[in-house]
Amino acid sequence: MPRINAATVADHRATQHAALLSAAMEILVADGPAALTPAAVGARVGLARSSVYRYFSSTADILAQLVEDAIPRWAERLAGATAGEAGPAARIRAFGEVTLSFVTHPDYALLRALTSVELPQECQNRLDQLHETLIAPLRDIVAEAGHERPDLVAHLGWAILGEAQRRLAAGADPEPTTSTTLAVLCRALLP
C-alpha cells in the first residue's frame, strides 16, 4: 500500500496528480514529446508506471490533461489583457502581445507536442473547444468593432499570430517580428 502524505486520500491524489503534471511538463520542455511516456513521468516523481495509470490512461491523456491545465490560464490572461484596454486597436494589440508571449513560456512545448502525436477524436474535439476559448476575446473585439463575420475575422487574426509565433520560435528577431505583426493585425482586423 503506498504511503499517503496528506490529510485525506483525495488530497493525496490531488497532490500526486499535480506532481505528475509538473513532471510531464518538465519532460516536454527538456526532452521533447518523444520522451513523454507514463513510465518517464512516473520515474520523474518516483512512482511505478502502473501507479501512473491511475491518473493517466496514455501519453495522449497526459497531453490532454496538460492542455486542460494550461489553456484556461492563457484564456484568462488574454481576457484580462483585453479587458484593461480602451479602444479596439489597443485591445487587439494587447491580445497580440499576450499571444506572442506564449512562445517564450514553457507551455509552448505543448503546442509542439500536440502537433507530433495523433490524439483520439474526443481529445481533438476537446482541444478544439479549448482553442475557441483562446480566440473568444479577439472575436468579441472585432464584433464590437462592427465586423459582420467576427468569428471568421478572429480566426484570420489568430492565423496571423500563429505565423508570428512560428517565426519567433524559429529564432526570428523578436522586436521587429512583434511590432510588424501587431501593426498588420490591427490593420487586418479593424474595419
Side-chain angles (χ1 to χ4, degrees), residues 136-151 153-154 189:
L138 189 57
R139 183 183 305 110
D140 292 345
I141 296 165
V142 297
E144 291 167 19
H147 277 286
E148 289 182 23
R149 294 182 181 83
D151 186 62
V153 173
L189 302 189

Side-chain angles (χ1 to χ4, degrees), residues 157-175:
W158 188 259
I160 291 169
L161 291 166
E163 176 58 20
Q165 284 180 328
R166 188 189 66 73
R167 288 173 182 256
L168 290 169
D173 189 347
E175 194 288 317

Side-chain angles (χ1 to χ4, degrees), residues 15-24 26-27 38-48 51-52 55-56:
T15 300
Q16 284 285 66
H17 187 252
L20 289 166
L21 285 176
S22 178
E26 289 170 7
I27 291 167
V41 172
R44 178 85 45 131
V45 298
L47 278 181
S51 295
V52 174
Y55 299 89
F56 309 109

Side-chain angles (χ1 to χ4, degrees), residues 52-140:
V52 174
Y53 283 110
R54 293 181 188 148
Y55 299 89
F56 309 109
S57 62
S58 64
T59 299
D61 187 32
I62 295 170
L63 286 170
Q65 289 188 43
L66 284 170
V67 167
E68 287 279 354
D69 184 55
I71 287 184
R73 280 194 313 270
W74 284 94
E76 187 176 320
R77 283 188 65 195
L78 290 164
T82 59
E85 297 293 336
R91 292 173 67 204
I92 288 170
R93 288 184 74 78
F95 183 93
E97 288 168 355
V98 171
T99 303
L100 295 178
S101 75
F102 181 60
V103 173
T104 62
H105 195 277
D107 285 342
Y108 193 71
L110 280 172
L111 182 60
R112 291 191 315 269
L114 290 171
T115 61
S116 69
V117 297
E118 186 164 331
L119 295 174
Q121 190 58 51
E122 66 272 7
C123 291
Q124 186 60 53
N125 292 344
R126 179 62 180 146
L127 180 60
D128 293 344
Q129 291 172 344
L130 289 168
H131 181 256
E132 290 301 314
T133 67
L134 294 174
I135 297 173
L138 189 57
R139 183 183 305 110
D140 292 345

